Amino acid sequence: MEMNLRAQSPLYSRGRQALVVRPAAAATGLTLSVIRCGRFTRGGLVRCMVSSSDYPKRNPRRTSTSKSKGVASGGYASRPTAESSTKKIDQSSNDEGDFSRTNGSLYGEATEQASTAEESSQVYLPGDISSSAERDEDGTEEESDQNKSSVLSSAPMDDDSIDRKLNEYRGKISALVSSKPEPSSLASVAGQSKSVGGVHGQEEPVTGSEDHDSSTVDAHIKGRPFAEAVVGYKDFTESAAGKATSENEEEPVVSLEDVVGLSKDAEEGLPVSEDDPEVLLRRLQELADENDSIGNNCFVFPEVVKADSMIDIYLNRSMSALASESNVFVKGAFNGWRWNAFTETMYKGELRGDWWCCKLYIPKQAYRLDFVFFNGDTVYENNNHNDFFLEIESDIDEHSFEDFLVEEKQKELERLAAEEAERKRQAEEERRRAEERAAMEADRAQAKSEVEMKKEKLRQMLSSASRYADNLWYIEPNTYRGGDRVRLYYHRSSRPLMHNTEIWMHGGYNNWIDGLSIAERLVKSHEKEGDWWYAEVTLPERALVLDWVFADGPPGNARNYDNNGRQDFHAIVPNNISISDDIFWVEEEHRIFARLQQERREREGAERIKAERSAKMKAEMKEKTMRAFLLSQKHIVYTEPLEVRAGTTVDVLYNPSNTVLNGKPEVWFRGSFNRWTHPSGPLPPQKMVKAENGSHLRTTVRVPLDAYMMDLVFSESEEGGIYDNRNGMDYHIPVSDSVAREPPMHIVHIAVEMAPIAKVGGLGDVVTSLSRAVQDLGHKVEVILPKYDCLNLSSVKDLYYQQSFTWGGTEIKVWFGKVEDLPVYFLEPQNGMFWVGCVYGRNDESRFGFFCHSALEFLLQKGSSPDIIHCHDWSSAPVAWLYKEQYALNGLGNGRVVFTIHNLEFGAHHIGKAMAHCDKATTVSDTYSKEVAGHGAIAPHYYKFYGIRNGIDPDIWDPYTDNFIPVHYTSENVVEGKSAAKKALQQMLGLQQIDTPVVGIITRLTVQKGIHLIKHAMYRALERNGQVVLLGSAPDPRIQGDFTNLASKLHGEYHGRVKLCLTYDEPLSHLIYAGADFILVPSIFEPCGLTQLIAMRYGSIPIVRKTGGLYDTVFDVDNDKDRAQAQGLEPNGFSFEGADSSGVDYALDRQV
């Protein structure tokens, strides 16, 4: 039952309200001990609840991150629900073998083991008015000896003995007080004298040393001293406690020798003195008696608990569930059990009755203290499952504490990030050193190999070299050595250069060991008869053989050569060294090694610069893409500033005229963060007000530091009513600089195409590029693909056989490898259905249906549980209904199915069935989603159908790193790069190398791609003196034959100006994208199209028909300026409407 207690107030301020408590069990006996309490200025009863209850019979507590000793807790726990905080400790009954496990079960916080101190029964608590170092030298040792002899006695004491001992201590206290010692030297908190003492028997009380280890209470109980977890209390001394007595031993007697107490004037209602421990002891006894009388089993002192202060907490053991326990501890945490968990040992006090006491520090960031009592094992006093709690006077409240936790989390993340960065730096440094060592060994090996090869070639060269050739060449003087200056004579008559008036000697030595290292111009000799020419040449000092040819110009400008019938000219050079001279070849090896090292360093330096620049451009592109995304929905909602950063305040602007709330008299904003999962919960509804621009409404929102996503919906009233929630998807705005990160998802793509290993069309490109983009966001992405016998395995890294399983009576082998850094599982049924030499065209419906079923079976047997299963087009559409009808009910029930339509032209029946069963459906552009909205497979499920525009992989399609083009380029040298690519393209395809517009066409030759428009466009471009390059093939043999005939005709009529390559050629496609001036995409319909996106990536101008994704991505330079500006873009190409020749002419005539 409950009863009212009579009011108790601080000693100098009577009149505080009483509290209501639950009566505890009756006292079972009294044992008097003496306790040394701290300095207090106020007293009274605490507002807390008490009961005798079976504490462990509860649900486990929420866990939090473990913290190191002495460090502020930076962990972040979710906000408690409305249910009682007592549902937190049940697990402790199983895990409390030691204190670290005890705290672990309560808070999930791994406490550190404290070291064992000397056995003692007297504890110096933080009320000492001076350290033993400050006492009189003569009195200190004597007092210590007396205390030891007193408190170490194990003989039982009667009441008279206790009173005698108490009077002895009081006499000593009076003597100490009258001596007026200096203030305590113990550690203080925020300038106050809040000190903690040490174990009796030490020469000095323990001060705030960080190196001091706390004691243990029994070997199996290893509690974390509360001061170790205190934020902002770094100098606070660690608690030190002796071993608790066993059940058969007498309980320890604790001294109150140096306590600061209340004056005798307290009896007259005057302010309490801080100098008389006897008065304080008497007052504490009165409070204990009062609590005994009303059945209250605990109180704290002082009554008003303030942040950044010390308190004492008292428990009447005999009135609790711990009445028969020899050890008593208090465990707790702050602010709803969310922060700074602690476990403290309680000690038998000097008060009459079974009162036990301990001292706690209340940190600055606390607004509430939650605690329970227990025996260090499984017996708890927990206020009838409600726990005890205290409200704390503090400058911090629940909301500001949330900010504090976030700031602590940010500091922790920054620390972890710094540590991770350092680990990566060290690992990178070690990797670099290992690579350097390996590269040096490789260079040495290559140098040795080159020396051996040069030695052998030079030996062969010496056998064929001479000093002259009759009537062809000779050297003057006849005797010469390496390093000499000589004349080399050449007879021009009857030689390839006989008609040239300019002759040069291009030379080297020792079989061109240093390449072309000598260049001299010959002059006509007027001293020699005949057509003799000569040049002054300095022979290299290390030369054994002089090598040369004659040419009609200097190196780089020569066109005609006399190279001695491709044998070159060679003259023996007498020297002090020989071919068998070891020193010569050792020096040569060293020289080659140094050259290889230099070349490697230059190459690595260039690669590093390129990688850094690529990363910078990629970051800029991501930033630009994000800005474009934010601007794309500006006609409905946006923020000011446009990019939202965590920890800032932003304005949300909303235009209801473009939504279901058009015309509503009021609009209310509703929002949250982190996809509605933020601990602070949804924001209160806010009525939006008119913004300055007139069309939008405005409200202001503060963004928390741990927000990574801003979530928005809008309603017509505060209560709700009609909502604009973006058709159930809500509005989401990414937040940068957050201390939190979005939890990663596990996503599995099940598809029949994947670039570059099994690519037929754009589907393969999207599977790869989308997977890589999502993986870059931190999610776990995997791909499941059939193992065709026509796979391009050269692009699969680390392929190996992993396992086998059986489904449908067939063994299915599973292979694993990496494709473009993506993990890919290849399924290979042993019935041979994918050993047909192609991706499509062999009983596809049956093969792909089997593949879809086996892919889900593989996930089930593997024990995988993905969050998202993503299937693509009709070929993997069966995944949607097989999953929902079978596997969702049998072990794969956690996932959601996303189905993407890349082209509605094929497999409409399968697409319709997948639309019915999937959770969400997408297609590859917004315009295409509207174009097919009325289709029978789409219309019934349009509510879950969304258009999301495709993109390309900027790492795969990058002219700055593309190895298929002659010169790498960016926007800074695009003219140079494209000019080089055009020249290479023209040379490769036999086109005239002239400066004229080149129109490129890269496509599958199907009706969808507008083949009649392609034919017309080629003739139109040629008529306007342009050049045309077409790359593509047709799956239909009739179309392929038609274009083969067209190629023959055009190659004859427009020789050197047109080239049709009717095949698939990935390297050539890269060169066309880079070398063409324009890329034509005249599709009749186009769900998205990647060709125009790649063209723009390589600086080529797209010419497109206005349909689907072509309309969404290409903005006409003359007609779409406003549309582009609305999306934060610029016009970027030419477009036309209609499907006839006049539309093509309109576009081509403006650009060719």
Side-chain angles (χ1 to χ4, degrees), residues 627-641:
R627 184 173 181 83
F629 162 73
L630 296 174
L631 289 172
S632 68
Q633 55 185 10
K634 190 174 181 179
H635 63 292
I636 296 178
V637 62
Y638 68 99
T639 60
E640 290 183 350

Side-chain angles (χ1 to χ4, degrees), residues 368-615:
R368 167 177 166 147
L369 169 65
D370 304 271
F371 59 97
V372 295
F373 305 97
F374 77 121
N375 70 338
D377 195 4
T378 60
V379 181
Y380 282 83
E381 170 61 51
N382 61 11
N383 192 26
N384 280 336
H385 298 195
N386 295 315
D387 301 347
F388 301 92
F389 75 93
L390 295 172
E391 300 293 342
I392 299 171
E393 284 191 6
S394 175
D395 293 333
I396 199 168
D397 58 16
E398 185 174 358
H399 296 292
S400 55
F401 177 67
E402 296 288 347
D403 294 339
F404 165 74
L405 285 181
V406 171
E407 291 170 358
E408 290 295 298
K409 180 67 174 179
Q410 184 175 18
K411 293 176 183 177
E412 179 71 7
L413 289 175
E414 289 173 353
R415 181 185 66 80
L416 293 175
E419 292 177 355
E420 180 64 19
E422 179 61 19
R423 282 194 296 269
K424 287 183 177 180
R425 188 197 65 77
Q426 293 178 1
E428 177 64 21
E429 182 66 18
E430 181 58 33
R431 183 195 64 79
R432 189 194 63 78
R433 290 197 195 100
E435 289 183 350
E436 177 74 15
R437 290 191 295 268
M440 288 181 66
E441 292 302 318
D443 289 344
R444 285 194 177 94
Q446 184 176 346
K448 286 181 180 294
S449 176
E450 288 190 21
V451 162
E452 292 300 323
M453 185 171 57
K454 289 177 181 294
K455 187 186 296 186
E456 179 60 28
K457 287 185 177 180
L458 185 57
R459 184 178 290 111
Q460 297 174 5
M461 191 65 62
L462 283 172
S463 64
S464 61
S466 62
R467 288 179 175 270
Y468 63 93
D470 287 337
N471 205 33
L472 180 55
W473 66 269
Y474 67 94
I475 296 175
E476 287 186 349
N478 292 331
T479 59
Y480 50 86
R481 307 185 66 82
D484 291 348
R485 182 79 170 172
V486 299
R487 279 189 177 185
L488 172 62
Y489 284 87
Y490 169 64
H491 196 261
R492 187 180 63 166
S493 298
S494 303
R495 303 299 296 178
L497 304 179
M498 59 184 300
H499 299 297
N500 293 95
T501 58
E502 184 177 348
I503 302 176
W504 285 73
M505 175 264 196
H506 300 175
Y509 67 100
N510 295 353
N511 194 31
W512 303 96
I513 195 169
D514 277 342
L516 198 159
S517 56
I518 305 171
E520 298 290 348
R521 183 172 181 175
L522 280 71
V523 297
K524 182 76 167 65
S525 174
H526 300 288
E527 301 173 357
K528 306 288 185 182
E529 293 183 1
D531 197 11
W532 288 94
W533 296 61
Y534 70 91
E536 301 283 348
V537 178
T538 300
L539 300 176
E541 291 186 358
R542 297 171 55 84
L544 298 176
V545 176
L546 180 67
D547 315 300
W548 76 92
V549 297
F550 297 107
D552 63 354
N557 290 326
R559 298 178 64 88
N560 299 310
Y561 292 87
D562 182 357
N563 57 13
N564 195 24
R566 300 187 179 227
Q567 299 299 312
D568 299 343
F569 298 95
H570 305 282
I572 296 175
V573 179
N575 212 318
N576 293 327
I577 59 176
S578 68
I579 192 171
S580 60
D581 192 335
D582 290 339
I583 296 179
F584 172 81
W585 292 110
V586 168
E587 292 176 351
E588 182 65 19
E589 180 179 332
H590 178 74
R591 192 180 61 82
I592 294 173
F593 174 73
R595 173 178 58 81
L596 293 174
Q597 289 275 286
Q598 181 64 26
E599 290 174 353
R600 180 173 58 80
R601 292 191 185 96
E602 292 175 355
R603 184 171 60 252
E604 290 175 349
E607 291 174 354
R608 183 171 56 255
I609 293 173
K610 180 173 287 188
E612 292 172 354
R613 189 169 185 180
S614 294

